[in-house]
């Protein structure tokens, strides 16, 4: 586990991904200042808070960390050495998952909380009240996405494939479902990853019960990881 | 670019397994349009006759176009990132290699884009028959052609980014950024900046170029037709030129 942590910490791509996520704080402040200037000038009914607007950037950056934790080693071929040194594969996968999960949660929670607080410090325009629990739930969803990325990375052994898979979960499928005719778009939409956290916090919107939504969210991490475990324990490398 | 490098790039591209996977998924968008049309049919037939006249169907090729766009973008990234060291030993002058790749990706994008757009438009119309009063196919030809060209643009954007950054993960994430994250952010930004953001999104540009109606869409209308054409071209040309520039300066 310590080895996995050092690997993740010392990879340049992890730094870029964390940097991208952290950039959200800067962008968020710029966003808030800009929206504020409009609000002072001619008033606005409401506008999204910065952390809400830039949420997809954080999600994507954190998901890439998960993918690269798996495919980075396949791309360099170093996975062979790793497996020679750590032949117990379930253990290795579990440790990777733990390190990825902790990192993803810490990064996304820190970025979201910092951006949300900075936005409220800097901005005067009316935005939703700072809801720490909801922000932590968004960080949990980002963590789930990161673990899904890890699972897909192990299964496909391809960075392009796994990142595309995560992008499909996060954007492509919801985008297409959104455009379906009305009863279907909401019916299917309720089960899609980006809509789960909002359902957990706005139960008045028809859809899943909050607990069911969170449970389903966790399944989005569990299924790819289980698939990864199934192939990783049977495959050569 | 010599016939040699062009041929070499073509062989490399066609012998990659990912190329075929990407092509299959791209053309799967036609099946997807067929599936969506079948679903729409079911709803139409279940609705009472009085409500059928008002029923509308989104043009399904506009829905599924994202699949070939993303696929070609990924193919462009892979073509750039996957084989750099060996190619530049064999062909020490670098721009011909990139020119060969550009030609290959553009050709594939052209065929896949047009096939996916016309295929899904045609299949949709065959499946729905006389339900929904869809616009006749002939009236949509200009938009289908330009939307198909946006697939080429994504391919070259991927190729340019791949050459510049040499990281599959970063490039695919950036493609998702251009196609999804940037639009999501633009929708949420109020005022002039948001209006501009919504005007330069790839999704809206083909409609601006052919002068289609944008009143009921999320897209902005800040650009003229020629301005929109220039922006769409820039999405392809700027990254490729940046790639050429990086290749000339860099070790590998």
């Amino acid at each position: 586990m310590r080895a996995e942590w050092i690997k993740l910490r010392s990879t340049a791509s992890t730094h870029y991904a964390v940097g991208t996520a952290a950039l959200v704080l800067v962008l968020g402040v710029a966003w808030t200042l800009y929206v504020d200037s409009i609000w002072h000038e001619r008033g606005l009914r409401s506008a999204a808070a910065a952390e809400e607007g830039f949420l997809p950037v954080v999600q994507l950056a954190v998901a890439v960390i998960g993918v690269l934790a798996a495919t980075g080693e396949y791309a360099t071929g170093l996975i062979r050495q790793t497996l020679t040194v750590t032949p117990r594969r379930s253990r290795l996968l579990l440790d990777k998952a733990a390190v990825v999960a902790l990192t993803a949660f810490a990064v996304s929670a820190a970025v979201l909380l910092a951006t949300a607080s900075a936005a409220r410090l800097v901005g005067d325009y009316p935005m939703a009240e700072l809801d720490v629990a909801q922000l932590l739930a968004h960080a949990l969803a980002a963590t789930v996405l990161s673990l899904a990325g890890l699972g897909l990375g192990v299964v496909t052994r391809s960075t392009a494939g796994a990142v595309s898979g995560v992008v499909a979960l996060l954007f492509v499928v919801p985008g297409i479902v959104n455009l379906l005719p009305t009863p279907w778009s909401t019916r299917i939409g309720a089960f899609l990853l980006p809509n789960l956290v909002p359902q957990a916090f706005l139960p008045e919107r028809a859809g899943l019960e909050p607990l069911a939504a969170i449970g389903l969210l966790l399944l989005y991490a569990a299924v790819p990881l289980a698939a990864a475990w199934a192939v990783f324990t049977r495959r050569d490398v | 670019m010599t016939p040699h490098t062009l041929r070499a790039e073509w062989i490399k591209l066609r012998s990659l397994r990912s190329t075929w996977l990407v092509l299959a998924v791209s053309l799967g968008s036609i099946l997807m349009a067929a599936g969506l049309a079948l679903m729409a049919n079911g709803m139409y037939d279940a609705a009472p006759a009085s409500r059928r006249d008002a029923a509308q169907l989104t043009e399904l090729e506009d829905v599924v176009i994202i699949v070939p766009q993303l696929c070609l973008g990924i193919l462009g990234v892979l073509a750039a990132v996957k084989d750099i060291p060996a190619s530049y030993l064999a062909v020490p002058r670098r721009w011909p290699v990139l020119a060969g790749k550009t030609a290959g990706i553009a050709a594939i994008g052209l065929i896949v884009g047009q096939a996916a757009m016309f295929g899904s438009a045609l299949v949709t119309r065959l499946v729905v028959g006389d339900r929904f009063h869809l616009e006749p196919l002939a009236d949509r030809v200009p938009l289908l052609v330009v939307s198909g060209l946006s697939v080429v643009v994504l391919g070259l954007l991927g190729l340019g980014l791949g050459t510049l950054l040499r990281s599959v993960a970063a490039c695919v994430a950036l493609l998702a950024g251009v196609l999804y994250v940037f639009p999501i952010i633009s929708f949420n930004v109020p005022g002039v900046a948001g209006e501009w953001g919504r005007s330069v999104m790839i999704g809206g540009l083909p409609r601006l170029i052919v002068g289609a109606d944008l009143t009921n869409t999320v897209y902005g209308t800040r650009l003229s037709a020629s301005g929109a054409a220039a922006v769409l071209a820039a999405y392809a040309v700027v990254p490729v030129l940046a790639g050429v520039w990086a290749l000339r300066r860099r070790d590998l």
Side-chain angles (χ1 to χ4, degrees):
Chain A
M1 174 132 177
R2 204 179 126 70
E4 287 302 326
W5 169 237
I6 292 172
K7 271 191 266 182
L8 194 67
R9 195 181 65 188
S10 58
T11 317
S13 48
T14 307
H15 297 172
Y16 290 131
V18 172
T20 308
L23 193 64
V24 165
L25 178 59
V26 181
L27 290 173
V29 171
W31 160 307
T32 311
L33 290 175
Y34 168 74
V35 177
D36 239 22
S37 71
I38 300 183
W39 186 65
H40 284 306
E41 217 171 281
R42 50 197 158 95
L44 275 173
R45 261 177 302 137
S46 67
E51 76 280 2
E52 207 180 314
F54 288 107
L55 182 62
V57 181
V58 180
Q59 290 169 324
L60 200 54
V62 164
V64 167
I65 295 181
V67 169
L68 286 178
T71 61
E73 281 191 67
Y74 280 106
T76 54
L78 284 174
I79 186 75
R80 288 160 198 276
Q81 276 87 323
T82 304
L83 287 175
T84 314
V85 180
T86 324
R88 287 173 56 205
R89 301 196 171 192
S90 311
R91 183 66 206 275
L92 178 63
L93 188 62
L94 200 65
D95 287 349
K96 267 191 192 295
V99 170
V100 164
L102 288 174
T103 311
F105 189 77
V107 170
S108 48
V111 168
L112 288 175
L113 284 172
T115 309
S117 333
R120 278 156 189 79
L121 271 180
V122 180
D124 303 325
Y125 73 91
M127 39 189 147
E129 262 186 61
L130 185 68
D131 182 346
V132 176
Q134 190 169 357
L135 286 180
L136 290 180
H138 278 301
L140 177 68
T143 309
V144 162
L145 203 63
S146 191
L147 288 173
L150 176 69
L152 289 172
V154 171
V155 172
T156 61
R157 292 179 278 189
S158 145
T159 310
V163 178
S164 316
V166 176
V167 168
L169 276 182
L170 192 56
F171 299 119
V172 181
V173 176
I176 289 174
V177 168
N178 241 338
L179 293 169
L180 291 179
T182 29
W184 289 102
S185 59
T186 37
R187 252 181 249 169
I188 304 178
F191 297 100
L192 299 179
L193 193 138
N195 303 332
L196 291 174
V197 172
Q199 287 182 86
F201 282 85
L202 300 163
E204 69 270 23
R205 245 201 251 170
L208 300 175
E209 295 291 313
L211 272 181
I214 295 294
L216 187 57
L217 182 62
L218 296 179
L219 270 186
Y220 270 99
V223 172
L225 282 178
W229 178 79
V231 295
F232 197 47
T233 47
R234 280 168 185 73
R235 209 163 51 186
D236 232 15
V237 257
Chain B
M1 178 168 51
T2 64
H4 276 309
T5 51
L6 189 60
R7 203 177 126 72
E9 287 305 324
W10 177 244
I11 292 173
K12 271 190 272 185
L13 206 51
R14 94 176 167 211
S15 55
L16 272 175
R17 196 177 52 161
S18 13
T19 306
W20 294 105
L21 191 62
V22 161
L23 286 184
V25 177
S26 294
L27 295 177
S29 60
I30 302 176
L31 288 181
M32 217 159 93
L36 291 172
L38 277 176
M39 235 169 110
N41 273 358
M43 291 185 49
Y44 185 93
D45 295 340
S50 56
R51 288 181 49 200
R52 285 184 186 171
D53 260 357
Q56 287 193 332
L57 184 65
T58 326
E59 296 290 349
L60 294 177
E61 60 274 16
D62 293 344
V63 178
V64 299
I65 186 175
I66 197 72
V67 176
Q69 282 178 336
L70 202 52
C71 283
L72 250 289
I74 292 169
L75 188 61
V77 171
L78 290 176
V81 177
K82 281 297 173 189
D83 73 339
I84 285 175
S87 299
Y88 293 121
L89 278 180
V91 187
R93 288 187 61 204
R94 292 170 181 198
W95 69 265
V97 177
L98 187 59
K101 287 184 200 293
T102 306
I105 293 289
I108 294 178
L110 194 64
I111 296 167
V112 168
Q114 300 302 327
M117 285 298 90
F118 279 93
S120 43
L122 201 64
V123 157
T124 309
R125 278 159 181 78
L126 284 177
V127 172
V128 300
D130 53 4
R131 304 172 181 87
F132 295 112
H133 319 292
L134 286 178
E135 212 182 330
L137 193 56
D139 295 354
R140 284 192 53 93
V141 167
L143 184 57
L144 290 174
V145 170
V146 180
S147 298
L149 288 179
S150 74
V151 174
V152 177
V153 169
L154 260 291
L156 298 182
L157 174 64
L159 184 68
L161 286 177
T163 312
L164 197 61
L165 300 176
R166 293 178 293 186
S167 150
V168 178
C171 291
V172 178
L174 272 176
L175 286 175
V178 170
L179 286 176
Y180 285 105
V181 181
F182 174 62
I184 293 177
I185 294 175
S186 301
F187 293 146
N188 282 317
V189 179
V192 190
E195 178 66 21
W196 268 108
R198 289 189 289 277
S199 300
V200 299
M201 286 166 16
I202 288 182
L205 290 174
R207 260 168 277 201
L208 279 172
I209 291 173
V210 300
D213 186 27
L214 281 158
T215 37
N216 281 326
T217 66
V218 291
Y219 303 113
T221 50
R222 287 262 157 176
L223 291 168
S224 64
S226 48
V231 172
L232 188 61
Y235 270 111
V237 174
V238 173
V240 171
L241 288 182
V244 172
W245 174 79
L247 274 185
R248 292 174 61 112
R249 311 199 38 153
R250 226 164 26 197
D251 229 16
L252 260 184

